[in-house]
Amino acid sequence: MRLRRQRWSTIGAIALAAACGGADGKAATAPVVPVIDADTFPLRALAQQAGIRIGSAGDRGFRWTGSDGSTFRAILGREFSVLTPENDMKFDHVHPAQNTYYFAGADSLVAFAQQNQMAVRGHTLVWHQQLPTWLTSGSFGADEASQQLIDHVTTVVSHFKGKIFAWDVVNEALNDDGSLRSTYWLDHIGRAYIEIAFRTARAADPDVALFYNDYNVEGMGPKSDSLYTMVKNFLARGIPINGVGFQAHLTLNGVPPTLGANIARFVALGIKVHITELDVRVPVPSTNASLTSQAQNYHDVVAACIQNRGCELVTTWGFTDKDSWVPSTFPGFGDALPWDNVFQRKPAYRSIYNALAGR
Ligand code: XIL
């Protein structure tokens, strides 16, 4: 799946040939002078040349369907080659009642992705948030909770089999100190719930890549050390795990200096790394200076992924500031994404572009 990483001179030749009508990528006869034009080359094309993929989360909020919907969907489909449903595959969305599954919302996102030749990243099977009340306010025992987990994972993974290339099987199971977070699943089932989830997902789909996803694991520290130990342990015991997702919900100038080394140590275990939910929140109102620093932060993350073979994907958590979870979640912060409220590209877009272009 991974493309050989190419030097920019080759990229320029291919891109220019394509732009001149040589869409088959055959060598152009004219001397090649790489002309880098944001309107000619979508991010996804540059990412492909860089040997990674670039994705965005998407939610069927008003910008998906409202008066801005066509602009929103056009940018999403044009610039990104991977779509992560921001909410539509979460437990409360797909499994709203004990014996009811609802897939129409998520299916429509999968259909959009297919129409736009985008791969779909499944998010997320087992998490402590966005759980339905039938689950959390019921009085279930350990065996029932195990059965609920197995039933849920089996049903959801089976439904999307062949349509999703990677699943966040377990999301945010760790505390910042590296211990296991108290969740419905831990509290009912015990620590085995994590490996049960991975084994069950593998049984339901032998081909999909299975990821553990979390935040504050981007740099070295107690949380990522604990994750590293867990992955090593799983691999040694034959628990199926193919990758880790670094969410990368970053604050301005908060890119961990150890990001590259941390990616490298997970990759050295023989698994993949995805940057799964990248955004860089800045104090609002933002300034030219803060947006310039933000752009550098985006550049650093994308470059770290490209530089570490085994980091396959950078996904931003939405792509416009208006459709971001940040303002409502982190009061005083916003403007976290590469496009602004009115779909104008920000310096962060340009810096992602440059990083993908090897500059
Ligand atoms: C967030 C969504 O962006 C919001 O729309 C929703 O209200 C709450 O969840 N980590 C995750 C994501 O794994 O699923 C979260 O997404 C953000 C934090």
Side-chain angles (χ1 to χ4, degrees), residues 170-185:
V170 175
N171 198 35
E172 301 180 353
L174 296 171
N175 293 311
D176 282 348
D177 67 1
S179 61
L180 286 175
R181 181 197 291 275
S182 167
T183 72
Y184 177 86
W185 305 111

Side-chain angles (χ1 to χ4, degrees), residues 57 59 84-87 90 93 123-124 127-130 168 171-172 213-215 247 249 276-277 279 317-318 323-326 328-330:
D59 189 74
T84 303
E86 190 163 334
N87 290 292
K90 290 173 179 172
H93 283 61
H123 176 80
T124 176
W127 190 28
H128 63 286
Q129 287 186 24
Q130 293 179 270
D168 288 332
N171 198 35
E172 301 180 353
N213 190 50
D214 215 327
Y215 63 90
Q247 292 183 5
H249 291 295
T276 52
E277 307 184 13
D279 50 26
W317 205 237
D323 300 283
S324 165
W325 77 308
V326 165
S328 59
T329 313
F330 303 97

